[in-house]
């Protein structure tokens, strides 16, 4: 049995952003028992092209055009001074595009570190603490384009082309896309051969997918995408059940996937979101292939983007938060931003620019939008958005807790052993998790130590009022029962 030390990250829904991560020395336990299936599968001949150069160009071929827009035309107007609120991935990617077009950019971030929800920092003990678990699907074409631009495309590690479910008792279920022939046959084989569903549920699942716009996507991707967009106001559960799918399929397979994609279950997830992913899986072999960073996002994701921005003349202003968006009203009644009221501890200043960008999360933008602007439907609609709280727990063990086959291998620390991939589970509140010591070893594998399990608790509402110790205790208990 492995013991642990723990680190806890709680992204809150308040306007102040996420809680910081606090070290906790409480012991924890996580093992997988019961019936064990092999976690070592023979890799069949792969048709996957792991090189991002080919993927960035190929994913936009014969795929819905709206998902993969071309590079913008070169800007020929006057140079603008732009102020961006938020140094998350949205704010930084905006800065990259603006700097490439010759504009002057300043980024303001209220935290002491960049990256937002894909951020990380190093605590006083030297541990890299992540704000969440980050996995990159092969259909993230625009993100791959960004990484290639900033020279970070080699920082992604390609995982086995299978989606792995860890069930109660340690049983492994898989949606295995490893097949000698690519899309759509590899996907058909994956769904028909999966052991995550019983035969009846698998058959009904196949019927639902056969009746979906995914089939149309094979011959008319743009038409299929429009059909999928028309399902935006329908939950995936409602659509799936209406096409013959079963509730068991949702609970055992699709809910964990939905939680990993958007932190909400299929009853609340739009059918548009899930079917867009399915359409990409069906039309592009690479779309379902998972990647993870070599190590900490601050080093391998945010770091290269920050360097690119600074090399281009962009400036970061950390710990500067926006207190208020200042605006004026024109003679015709239209409103425009006149400045940003910023603060850093006891310091205050007004930022003036030619253009302003708010790259904030839902609670943050609700706090910033002036009350008067709610008279306009565009801004009032923002208040109809609901943020989803998520808790991320990092647990360090003295053994390898996802090595399900060999007890001796799980105990020895000279060589890492276990499941090197994103892992789903329908049997715990942490619907997806990974052993970062295996999946992102550059910063998380430490000689003489074992697994660094990162678990994503979603929805996080029941956990937000709890102490760190109590959260760790509950996660540990659920791990023992998984």
């Amino acid at each position: 049995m492995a013991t642990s030390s723990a680190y806890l990250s709680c992204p809150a829904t308040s306007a102040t952003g996420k809680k910081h991560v606090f070290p906790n020395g409480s012991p924890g336990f996580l093992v997988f028992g019961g019936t064990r299936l092999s976690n070592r599968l023979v890799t069949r001949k792969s048709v996957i092209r792991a090189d991002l150069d080919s993927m960035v160009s190929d994913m936009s071929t014969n795929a819905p055009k709206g998902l993969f827009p071309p590079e913008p035309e070169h800007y020929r107007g006057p140079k603008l001074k732009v102020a961006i609120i938020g140094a998350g991935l949205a704010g930084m990617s905006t800065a990259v595009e603006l700097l490439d077009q010759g504009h002057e950019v300043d980024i303001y971030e209220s935290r002491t570190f960049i990256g937002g929800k894909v951020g990380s920092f190093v605590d006083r003990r030297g541990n890299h603490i992540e704000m969440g678990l980050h996995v990159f699907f092969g259909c993230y074409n625009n993100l791959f384009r960004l990484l290639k631009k900033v020279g970070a495309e080699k920082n992604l590690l390609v995982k086995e082309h299978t989606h792995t479910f860890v069930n109660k008792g340690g049983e492994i279920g898989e949606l295995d896309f490893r097949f000698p022939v690519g899309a759509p046959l590899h996907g058909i084989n994956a769904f028909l051969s999966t052991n995550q569903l019983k035969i009846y549920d698998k058959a009904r699942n196949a019927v639902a997918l056969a009746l979906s716009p995914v089939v149309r996507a094979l011959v008319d991707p743009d038409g299929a995408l429009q059909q999928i967009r028309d399902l935006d106001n329908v939950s995936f559960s409602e659509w799936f059940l209406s096409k013959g799918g079963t509730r068991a399929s949702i609970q055992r397979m699709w809910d964990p996937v939905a939680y990993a994609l958007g932190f909400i279950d299929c009853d609340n997830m739009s059918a548009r979101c899930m079917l867009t992913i399915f359409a990409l899986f069906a039309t592009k072999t690479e779309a379902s292939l998972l990647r993870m960073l070599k190590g900490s996002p601050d080093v391998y994701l945010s770091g290269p983007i920050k360097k690119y921005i600074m090399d281009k003349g962009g400036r970061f202003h950390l710990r500067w938060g926006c207190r208020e968006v200042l605006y004026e009203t024109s003679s015709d009644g239209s409103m425009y931003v006149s400045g940003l009221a910023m603060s850093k501890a006891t310091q205050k200043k007004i930022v003036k620019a030619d253009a302003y960008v708010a790259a904030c999360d839902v609670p943050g933008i609700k706090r910033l939008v002036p009350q008067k602007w709610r008279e306009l439907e565009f801004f009032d609609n923002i208040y109809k958005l609901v943020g989803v709280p998520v808790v991320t727990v990092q647990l360090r063990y003295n053994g390898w807790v996802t090595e399900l086959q060999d007890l001796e291998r799980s105990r020895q620390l000279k060589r890492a052993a276990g499941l090197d991939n994103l892992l789903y589970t329908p049997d715990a509140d942490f619907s997806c998790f990974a052993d970062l010591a295996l999946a992102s070893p550059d910063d998380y594998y430490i000689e003489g130590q074992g697994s660094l399990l990162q678990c994503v608790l979603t929805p996080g509402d029941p956990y937000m009022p709890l102490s760190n110790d109590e959260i760790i205790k509950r996660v540990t208990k659920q791990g023992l029962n998984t």
Side-chain angles (χ1 to χ4, degrees):
M1 182 175 291
T3 60
S4 75
S5 59
Y7 295 85
L8 182 66
S9 171
C10 301
T13 57
S14 66
T16 56
K18 299 175 181 176
K19 294 181 183 178
H20 288 295
V21 178
F22 301 97
N24 187 294
S26 301
F29 304 92
L30 186 61
V31 296
F32 299 91
T35 304
R36 295 174 177 175
L37 302 182
S38 172
N39 65 317
R40 301 294 180 190
L41 297 178
V42 177
T43 303
R44 294 183 285 252
K45 181 181 177 182
S46 175
V47 294
I48 296 299
R49 287 174 299 172
D51 179 59
L52 289 188
D53 285 325
S54 62
M55 287 186 61
V56 167
S57 60
D58 181 68
M59 281 298 296
S60 58
T61 304
N62 296 325
K65 295 181 177 61
L67 290 179
F68 307 112
E71 290 287 336
E73 295 182 6
H74 183 67
Y75 176 75
R76 301 185 183 278
K79 179 179 179 179
L80 302 176
K81 179 180 174 64
V82 183
I84 298 175
I85 305 171
L89 198 55
M92 290 195 294
S93 61
T94 301
V96 167
E97 298 298 328
L98 290 170
L99 289 164
D100 283 349
Q101 296 287 0
H103 300 297
E104 181 182 351
V105 177
D106 287 273
I107 306 175
Y108 297 88
E109 171 58 54
S110 61
R111 295 188 180 95
T112 58
F113 58 93
I114 64 173
K117 289 182 175 59
V118 293
S120 66
F121 60 90
V122 180
D123 70 3
R124 293 178 181 178
R125 297 182 180 181
N127 298 292
H128 291 266
I129 309 300
E130 293 194 13
M131 300 304 286
L133 180 60
H134 312 298
V135 181
F136 304 83
F137 281 79
C139 51
Y140 290 178
N141 180 265
N142 293 312
L143 179 60
F144 295 154
R145 183 185 288 117
L146 172 64
L147 293 181
K148 182 169 170 37
K149 181 179 289 188
V150 303
E153 71 274 17
K154 302 301 183 183
N155 294 343
L156 294 174
L157 299 178
V158 180
K159 302 305 176 184
E160 288 285 349
H161 199 184
T162 182
H163 293 226
T164 305
F165 296 79
V166 179
N167 301 298
K168 190 172 183 178
E171 293 188 1
I172 296 296
E174 296 211 283
L175 195 57
D176 192 347
F177 291 91
R178 293 171 292 191
F179 196 62
V181 182
L185 295 181
H186 79 315
I188 294 172
N189 177 73
F191 286 111
L192 292 180
S193 64
T194 179
N195 59 340
Q196 182 60 17
L197 300 177
K198 295 180 179 179
I199 294 177
Y200 174 76
D201 298 310
K202 190 160 44 177
R204 296 283 294 272
N205 187 73
V207 170
L209 293 178
L211 296 174
S212 75
V214 172
V215 176
R216 181 178 178 181
L218 299 175
V219 293
D220 180 17
D222 288 300
L225 184 62
Q226 185 55 57
Q227 190 176 349
I228 290 170
R229 284 172 173 162
D230 291 340
L231 296 171
D232 196 31
N233 293 323
V234 179
S235 75
F236 179 74
S237 290
E238 182 181 350
W239 174 87
F240 185 72
L241 295 173
S242 73
K243 299 300 181 183
T246 64
R247 176 58 68 175
S249 294
I250 292 174
Q251 293 171 341
R252 302 306 301 172
M253 179 177 285
W254 299 127
D255 268 347
V257 172
Y259 279 128
L261 286 171
F263 307 127
I264 52 178
D265 60 20
C266 290
D267 289 349
N268 294 287
M269 175 77 76
S270 169
R272 172 180 175 177
C273 179
M274 296 288 281
L275 291 175
T276 297
I277 293 294
F278 294 167
L280 288 170
F281 283 10
T283 55
K284 291 295 171 184
T285 306
E286 299 88 350
S288 50
L289 182 66
L290 301 178
R291 287 172 168 80
M292 295 183 72
L293 289 169
K294 287 183 177 181
S296 169
D298 183 59
V299 177
Y300 293 103
L301 179 63
S302 302
I305 300 174
K306 179 181 179 181
K307 183 180 184 303
Y308 184 91
I309 289 172
M310 295 181 69
D311 287 347
K312 287 273 188 173
R315 295 176 290 268
F316 286 85
H317 307 271
L318 301 183
R319 298 179 62 195
W320 279 100
C322 183
R323 295 182 291 109
E324 183 182 1
V325 176
L326 307 176
Y327 69 96
E328 296 182 12
T329 304
S330 303
S331 58
D332 62 359
S334 60
M335 292 174 283
Y336 62 93
V337 177
S338 58
L340 303 174
M342 310 295 294
S343 64
K344 178 181 180 180
T346 59
Q347 303 177 61
K348 295 181 181 180
K349 66 179 179 181
I350 303 297
V351 170
K352 297 280 188 178
D354 299 310
Y356 304 87
V357 178
C360 308
D361 58 8
V362 170
I365 196 61
K366 286 181 178 179
R367 180 176 62 86
L368 285 182
V369 170
Q371 187 66 27
K372 180 70 174 177
W373 291 12
R374 294 195 63 180
E375 295 177 3
L376 304 174
E377 183 181 8
F378 177 85
F379 292 101
D380 189 56
N381 283 339
I382 292 175
Y383 288 82
K384 297 176 183 177
L385 299 173
V386 180
V388 180
V390 180
V391 176
T392 300
V393 180
Q394 290 182 206
L395 299 168
R396 174 71 75 176
Y397 293 85
N398 64 357
W400 300 101
V401 297
T402 64
E403 171 53 68
L404 310 183
Q405 193 175 10
D406 189 328
L407 184 60
E408 289 303 315
R409 290 189 69 201
S410 72
R411 289 174 174 171
Q412 60 81 26
L413 297 173
K414 293 183 179 180
R415 187 173 181 179
L419 297 169
D420 175 10
N421 212 327
L422 172 69
L423 306 174
Y424 307 95
T425 178
D427 297 318
D429 287 348
F430 50 93
S431 52
C432 62
F433 62 104
D435 185 349
L436 296 184
L438 286 166
S440 302
D442 279 23
D443 290 316
Y444 299 113
Y445 173 77
I446 301 176
E447 188 173 355
Q449 298 186 26
S451 294
L452 177 62
L453 214 62
Q454 184 166 148
C455 305
V456 180
L457 295 162
T458 179
D461 306 72
Y463 288 87
M464 285 296 175
L466 304 180
S467 67
N468 293 346
D469 288 345
E470 181 61 26
I471 293 174
I472 293 165
K473 179 180 177 181
R474 294 192 182 192
V475 172
T476 300
K477 183 178 179 180
Q478 290 189 46
L480 287 168
N481 294 324
T482 300

